[in-house]
Amino acid sequence: MKNQPNSSEENKEEHSNTTDDIYSESRGYSANQQVLLVENANENGSSVSSTATLNELHNNDSKILSLLKGNAKGEPTYTFNGLVRELNMHQQSLSRSLKRLVDLGLIEQIVHYGFRLTNMGRNLGITTSSRNNNNKDAKRRYMQLAQLHMHFTKPNIDSISSKLTGRWFGSLRWVGKIEDSAFSILKWKTYDNSFGIKVTLMNGSLIVESDAISEQEIVEAVKIIPKIIAIATESFKEELISQNSSRKGLALRRMHPDFIKTEYN
C-alpha cells in the first residue's frame, strides 16, 4: 500500500523549502581517472571524449549524464528528487553518483534549481536519453491536454518559468526543466511516480502535456491546468503593466524634464 502524503503537504502549491543536497556517502574516483579527464582537456577548456573515461563511469553515472545531456537545443536542470523520479534510482545510489560526478567536474549543483552538466560534462561522449526506459514507461506517451495562445516574448517565458519553477501542485512534485534561448520545458511527477506533467513555454503559446493513462490520473492532471494557466497569465499581466508604467514614465519625463528633480532646502 502506497504511503499517502498528509493533507497539508497535498495542498502545498509553493516552492519547496527542502533543498536537494548531495548526501555525504560517496565512492570517489581514483587519482588516475581524474588526471585522465584533465589531460584530455583541449586548449579551449573543453574535454575530449575518452573511451577510457567512459568505461570507468558506473552505470548510474552514465544514466545521470545521459538524462542531463538532453537534446542539442536545450540544457536540462533536475533537482535531486527529480532525478530520483526520472531515473527510478534509489536515493543512496543517486547521492553517491552525484558526488562522484561533481568531484570529477562533470556536473554542478545550482542552488534552488538542481544539477546540470558543466562544459566538461557536455563535451563527454555520452548519448542522450529523454527518459528512463522500462516496461512501465514504455506504455506511456505524453499527450497534449491544453494549449494557451498568447504572445509570449523571451522575458515573458523567463518570468513565467521562474514563477513555476519549484512549485508543487497537489500530488505533483517538481522535477526539473530544460531551457533554451527560444523555449522552456518544465516537468512535474506525482509523489508515487505514477504519471507526470510537462509544460512547454515558447513564443506564442503554452502547451500542457501529460502521460496520464487511467481516468483518475487524467482527471488529476486536468485539475492542474487552470492553476498553471492562472500563474502564466498573471505573470504576463504583470509584465505588461510594468512595461506600460515604464513607457508612461518615459513619456512624462520627456514632456516635463524637471519631473524627476528633487530639491533640498
Side-chain angles (χ1 to χ4, degrees):
M1 184 174 183
K2 297 175 182 175
N3 294 327
Q4 298 294 332
N6 58 43
S7 58
S8 60
E9 182 183 16
E10 184 73 20
N11 296 324
K12 185 177 180 183
E13 293 177 6
E14 58 188 8
H15 287 74
S16 174
N17 293 324
T18 60
T19 56
D20 291 308
D21 295 327
I22 302 174
Y23 293 131
S24 59
E25 293 188 51
S26 66
R27 287 178 292 172
Y29 266 86
S30 66
N32 289 337
Q33 293 168 242
Q34 296 187 37
V35 170
L36 180 60
L37 279 176
V38 174
E39 290 181 345
N40 280 332
N42 63 23
E43 60 185 8
N44 295 322
S46 300
S47 66
V48 178
S49 298
S50 169
T51 302
T53 302
L54 293 176
N55 289 339
E56 292 290 350
L57 291 175
H58 294 208
N59 185 46
N60 285 343
D61 301 345
S62 298
K63 289 180 180 179
I64 295 168
L65 292 173
S66 179
L67 180 65
L68 291 179
K69 189 165 186 179
N71 57 64
K73 296 182 179 180
E75 183 177 284
T77 303
Y78 287 93
T79 65
F80 180 88
N81 289 327
L83 289 170
V84 170
R85 295 186 177 98
E86 283 289 281
L87 297 172
N88 290 322
M89 194 179 295
H90 192 277
Q91 290 187 357
Q92 296 280 345
S93 299
L94 177 60
S95 64
R96 288 193 289 267
S97 286
L98 290 175
K99 180 64 167 60
R100 278 195 299 273
L101 294 173
V102 168
D103 289 345
L104 280 170
L106 298 178
I107 67 173
E108 60 183 342
Q109 184 179 20
I110 308 301
V111 180
H112 304 309
Y113 285 93
F115 297 91
R116 69 181 182 187
L117 293 179
T118 60
N119 288 333
M120 184 181 290
R122 292 186 196 97
N123 288 297
L124 198 65
I126 294 289
T127 57
T128 62
S129 174
S130 59
R131 63 185 300 156
N132 187 38
N133 293 321
N134 53 44
N135 292 333
K136 178 182 176 182
D137 287 339
K139 300 176 182 178
R140 293 181 178 269
R141 295 289 183 272
Y142 274 87
M143 303 291 290
Q144 182 174 313
L145 298 180
Q147 182 170 6
L148 175 67
H149 294 282
M150 294 185 76
H151 182 62
F152 293 131
T153 61
K154 187 60 170 69
N156 297 144
I157 293 174
D158 292 341
S159 177
I160 296 170
S161 176
S162 176
K163 285 182 169 57
L164 288 171
T165 295
R167 284 184 179 266
W168 291 3
F169 296 99
S171 64
L172 285 159
R173 304 293 185 255
W174 172 251
V175 170
K177 61 183 176 181
I178 302 172
E179 290 192 311
D180 185 68
S181 59
F183 65 84
S184 286
I185 300 175
L186 298 87
K187 303 171 77 173
W188 291 263
K189 278 198 172 184
T190 54
Y191 66 89
D192 61 357
N193 213 31
S194 57
F195 73 92
I197 277 185
K198 183 165 61 177
V199 173
T200 302
L201 293 163
M202 63 181 71
N203 186 18
S205 65
L206 178 155
I207 300 172
V208 181
E209 299 172 284
S210 177
D211 63 349
I213 293 179
S214 70
E215 182 178 349
Q216 182 179 351
E217 290 176 349
I218 294 172
V219 169
E220 189 174 353
V222 169
K223 285 181 179 179
I224 307 301
I225 296 174
K227 299 176 182 179
I228 292 174
I229 291 178
I231 293 173
T233 52
E234 182 64 26
S235 176
F236 185 72
K237 184 176 73 174
E238 290 174 0
E239 288 285 325
L240 289 179
I241 293 173
S242 176
Q243 291 173 11
N244 289 336
S245 297
S246 298
R247 293 192 188 108
K248 288 178 181 178
L250 179 60
L252 188 58
R253 287 193 293 272
R254 287 174 177 172
M255 294 172 62
H256 305 282
D258 295 332
F259 176 73
I260 60 173
K261 288 184 178 179
T262 301
E263 296 182 358
Y264 298 91
N265 293 328

